[in-house]
C-alpha cells in the first residue's frame, strides 16, 4: 500500500510543528513499512509571498491528489494589513471548500497529568472527553451576500449572511449521530433557535434525524448557554454538533479546558473520508522560530490522519499512546508546564526535544 501525504507547513510555528509530526510519521513508516510518500507545498502567508495567492494552483493540484493532508497554521502580522479577501486565512477557507471538507472533528480530551494546567478546577475537568463536530463549509463564513458597502446615505455597512440548507444540516447531523453512537450515545446540538431562522431549521432537521438514531439521546442548547455550560460543568458533554461560527468559538473554549491549545488536534473530512488534519491552534507568531511551540497537537493530528483517512488504526493508537507516555514521563513544553504545581514535571523542553521524546516512546512500543 502507498500513501501520498501532503504537508502544508504554512506560517509562524507551522513549519516547526509539522517538522516534528513528519519525523513521527517517518519513524512509524520505517518501523512498520507503511509506504508513506511525502510532498510539500505552500499555503497561507508564505504562499502569498512566493506564489501570489494563499491557496495557489500548484498547492491545489497536490491537495486534490493526496490521500491525506497535514497542515501547520497560517497567518501572522506580516499579512494583517492585506484586504480580507487576500489574507492567509483565505487559503484555509479555500482548501476546505475546494475539497468539500464539511465535517470538522475536534476532540477535547484532558490528559490526567495536565488537569493542573487547565483554567478550571481539576475536579471539573479531570477525565474530560468531548468531541465537537463543527460544520465547516457553510454558514456565515461563506454565505452571500457579504462585504462592506457604502449606502446611498454615505454610511458604510458590513454585511454577512448565515445560510444553511437542509441537506447541509442533514449530512453534518448524520456524522454527529454516528460519532455519538460510537461513544457514549449523547449528542448536544447547539444553535440560537430563539433568534436566528437558520438555526430554527437546524434544530428541526436534527430533531427529524434523531428518529433514525433511537440509541442516541439528542438535546439542544442555545449557544450562549452552551458556552456557559462548557465552563461550568464541561463533563456533561459527550458529542456536540454545531454550525461553523459557533463551532469555531466553542472549540476554542474547549481547548482552554484541556490546559493548552497546543495539545488539540483536529480533522476535517469530506464524504469520502479524505481529510485535512491540523492542530486547533494558530501560527503563534509570538513564539515562532524559538523552538518553544508544543508539537503535540500536530503529532496527534497526524494520528487522526492515520485513523480517519488511512485506516491505520493500530498506528494511530501507537502514536496516541506515545504522546500519553511522554506526558506521563513529565515532559512539558512551556505552554503546558505548570509552574511548579506539578511535582512530576521536569524543566520545560523545546519543540524538537518533545518530538525526540515521542519518537523514543514509539520505539519502546
Ligand atoms: P494562536 O493560536 O496562534 O496563539 C494564541 C496563543 O497560544 C499565543 O500565546 C501562542 O503563543 C499560544 N500557542 C498557540 N499554539 C501554541 C503551541 N503549539 N505551543 C505553544 N503555545 C501555543 O492564535 P492567535 O494569536 O489569535 O493568532 C495568531 C495568527 O494565527 C493569526 O494570524 C491568526 O489569524 C492565525 N490563526 C490561524 C489558524 C489556523 O491556521 N488554523 C487558527 C487560528 C489563528
Amino acid at each position: 500500500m502507498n500513501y501520498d501525504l501532503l504537508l502544508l507547513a504554512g506560517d509562524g510555528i507551522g513549519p516547526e510543528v509539522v517538522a516534528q509530526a513528519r519525523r513521527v510519521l517517518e519513524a512509524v513508516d520505517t518501523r512498520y513499512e507503511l509506504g508513506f510518500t511525502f510532498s510539500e507545498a505552500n499555503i497561507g502567508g508564505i504562499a502569498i509571498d512566493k506564489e501570489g495567492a494563499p491557496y495557489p494552483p500548484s498547492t491545489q493540484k497536490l491537495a486534490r491528489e493526496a490521500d491525506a493532508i497535514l497542515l501547520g497554521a497560517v497567518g501572522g502580522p506580516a499579512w494583517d494589513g492585506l484586504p480580507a479577501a487576500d489574507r492567509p486565512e483565505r487559503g484555509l477557507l479555500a482548501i476546505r471548500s475546494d475539497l468539500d471538507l464539511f465535517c470538522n472533528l475536534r476532540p477535547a480530551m484532558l490528559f490526567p497529568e495536565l488537569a493542573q494546567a487547565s483554567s478550571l478546577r481539576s475536579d471539573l475537568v479531570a477525565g474530560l472527553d468531548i468531541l465537537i463536530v463543527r460544520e465547516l463549509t457553510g454558514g456565515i463564513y461563506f454565505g452571500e451576500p457579504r462585504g462592506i458597502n457604502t449606502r446611498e446615505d454615505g454610511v458604510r455597512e458590513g454585511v454577512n449572511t448565515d445560510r444553511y440548507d437542509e441537506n447541509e444540516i442533514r449530512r453534518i447531523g448524520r456524522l454527529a449521530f454516528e460519532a455519538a453512537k460510537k461513544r457514549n450515545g449523547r449528542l448536544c446540538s447547539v444553535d440560537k433557535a430563539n433568534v436566528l431562522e437558520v438555526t430554527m431549521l437546524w434544530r428541526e432537521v436534527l430533531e427529524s434525524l434523531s428518529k433514525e438514531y433511537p440509541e442516541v439521546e439528542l438535546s439542544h442548547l442555545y449557544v450562549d448557554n452552551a458556552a456557559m455550560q462548557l465552563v461550568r460543568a464541561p463533563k456533561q458533554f459527550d458529542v456536540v454538533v454545531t454550525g461553523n461560527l459557533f463551532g469555531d468559538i466553542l472549540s476554542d473554549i474547549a481547548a482552554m479546558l484541556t490546559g493548552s491549545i497546543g495539545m488539540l488536534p483536529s480533522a476535517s473530512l469530506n464524504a469520502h473520508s479524505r481529510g485535512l488534519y491540523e492542530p486547533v491552534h494558530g501560527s503563534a507568531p509570538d513564539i515562532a522560530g524559538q523552538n518553544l511551540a508544543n508539537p503535540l497537537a500536530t503529532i496527534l493530528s497526524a494520528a487522526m490522519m492515520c485513523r480517519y483517512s488511512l485506516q491505520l488504526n493500530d498506528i494511530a493508537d501507537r502514536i496516541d499512546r506515545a504522546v500519553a507516555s511522554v506526558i506521563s514521563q513529565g515532559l512539558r513544553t512551556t505552554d503546558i508546564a505548570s509552574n511548579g504545581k506539578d511535582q512530576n514535571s521536569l524543566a520545560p523542553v523545546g519543540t524538537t526535544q518533545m518530538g525526540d521524546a515521542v519518537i523514543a516512546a514509539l520505539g519502546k512500543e
Side-chain angles (χ1 to χ4, degrees):
M1 198 66 192
N2 273 318
Y3 300 99
D4 287 326
L5 308 181
L6 176 62
L7 306 178
L8 302 175
D11 309 314
I13 59 169
E16 297 169 69
V17 292
V18 167
Q20 298 312 312
R22 179 182 183 146
R23 292 178 64 216
V24 167
L25 288 168
E26 284 171 346
V28 289
D29 183 35
T30 306
R31 179 145 180 202
Y32 302 103
E33 298 179 1
L34 303 171
F36 289 169
T37 310
F38 297 93
S39 51
E40 295 180 359
N42 295 316
I43 195 159
I46 190 167
I48 294 173
D49 291 351
K50 290 194 169 170
E51 302 184 56
Y55 181 50
S58 56
T59 301
Q60 183 184 49
K61 181 173 181 297
L62 288 172
R64 288 180 174 185
E65 290 164 2
D67 291 311
I69 303 164
L70 186 69
L71 185 142
V74 301
W79 305 279
D80 280 352
L82 292 174
D86 302 328
R87 299 211 5 190
E89 293 77 4
R90 275 302 162 104
L92 274 186
L93 300 185
I95 192 170
R96 288 171 184 165
S97 172
D98 185 38
L99 303 180
D100 203 14
L101 305 173
F102 67 91
C103 176
N104 188 217
L105 301 178
R106 294 193 178 199
M109 271 185 63
L110 186 65
F111 290 88
E113 298 87 349
L114 296 183
Q116 299 275 21
S118 170
S119 51
L120 293 190
R121 285 201 323 264
S122 301
D123 58 308
L124 292 177
V125 290
L128 182 79
D129 183 4
I130 305 176
L131 178 67
I132 297 194
V133 181
R134 167 187 171 196
E135 203 291 330
L136 207 57
T137 52
I140 198 163
Y141 290 180
F142 292 91
E144 297 284 348
R146 66 186 299 157
I148 299 176
N149 315 311
T150 304
R151 292 194 316 231
E152 280 179 6
D153 61 4
V155 175
R156 292 188 309 148
E157 63 176 14
V159 178
N160 290 93
T161 304
D162 200 358
R163 183 192 302 273
Y164 275 115
D165 71 34
E166 52 189 336
N167 294 331
E168 289 173 301
I169 302 170
R170 203 169 289 116
R171 68 178 184 172
I172 189 78
R174 208 175 275 293
L175 279 174
F177 274 105
E178 291 292 338
K181 213 165 91 175
K182 291 186 198 134
R183 290 170 46 105
N184 295 321
R186 285 180 294 117
L187 176 62
C188 177
S189 170
V190 174
D191 61 36
K192 190 69 184 168
N194 50 344
V195 181
L196 301 174
E197 283 80 358
V198 58
T199 68
M200 290 174 198
L201 179 66
W202 179 282
R203 190 176 279 222
E204 203 185 296
V205 172
L206 266 285
E207 272 300 325
S208 76
L209 260 182
S210 75
K211 298 189 183 78
E212 296 175 36
Y213 297 91
E215 64 278 62
V216 175
E217 180 197 322
L218 174 68
S219 60
H220 304 274
L221 279 184
Y222 297 139
V223 63
D224 39 350
N225 190 14
M228 205 162 72
Q229 296 302 328
L230 264 178
V231 294
R232 193 188 69 85
K235 285 194 273 185
Q236 68 184 282
F237 294 106
D238 178 18
V239 180
V240 173
V241 63
T242 189
N244 209 341
L245 173 62
F246 299 159
D248 194 356
I249 298 164
L250 295 181
S251 54
D252 270 15
I253 297 178
M256 276 327 291
L257 301 180
T258 67
S260 170
I261 202 160
M263 294 299 298
L264 290 181
S266 79
S268 305
L269 306 175
N270 68 14
H272 314 289
S273 297
R274 292 190 59 229
L276 173 74
Y277 298 82
E278 56 180 320
V280 166
H281 62 71
S283 61
D286 53 331
I287 56 165
Q290 298 171 48
N291 195 36
L292 286 176
N294 184 346
L296 294 180
T298 314
I299 291 171
L300 290 168
S301 300
M304 287 186 89
M305 178 171 90
C306 293
R307 177 167 288 119
Y308 290 104
S309 283
L310 311 183
Q311 317 309 330
L312 296 171
N313 286 340
D314 176 52
I315 301 296
D317 288 345
R318 284 176 194 277
I319 297 174
D320 285 346
R321 281 200 299 270
V323 168
S325 153
V326 301
I327 292 294
S328 73
Q329 285 164 37
L331 274 95
R332 307 279 186 271
T333 41
T334 41
D335 58 309
I336 49 171
S338 53
N339 301 325
K341 274 188 283 180
D342 178 355
Q343 307 293 322
N344 300 323
S345 70
L346 311 168
V349 299
T351 312
T352 25
Q353 290 82 353
M354 192 58 113
D356 292 343
V358 174
I359 291 166
L362 274 169
K364 293 188 191 127
E365 274 279 318

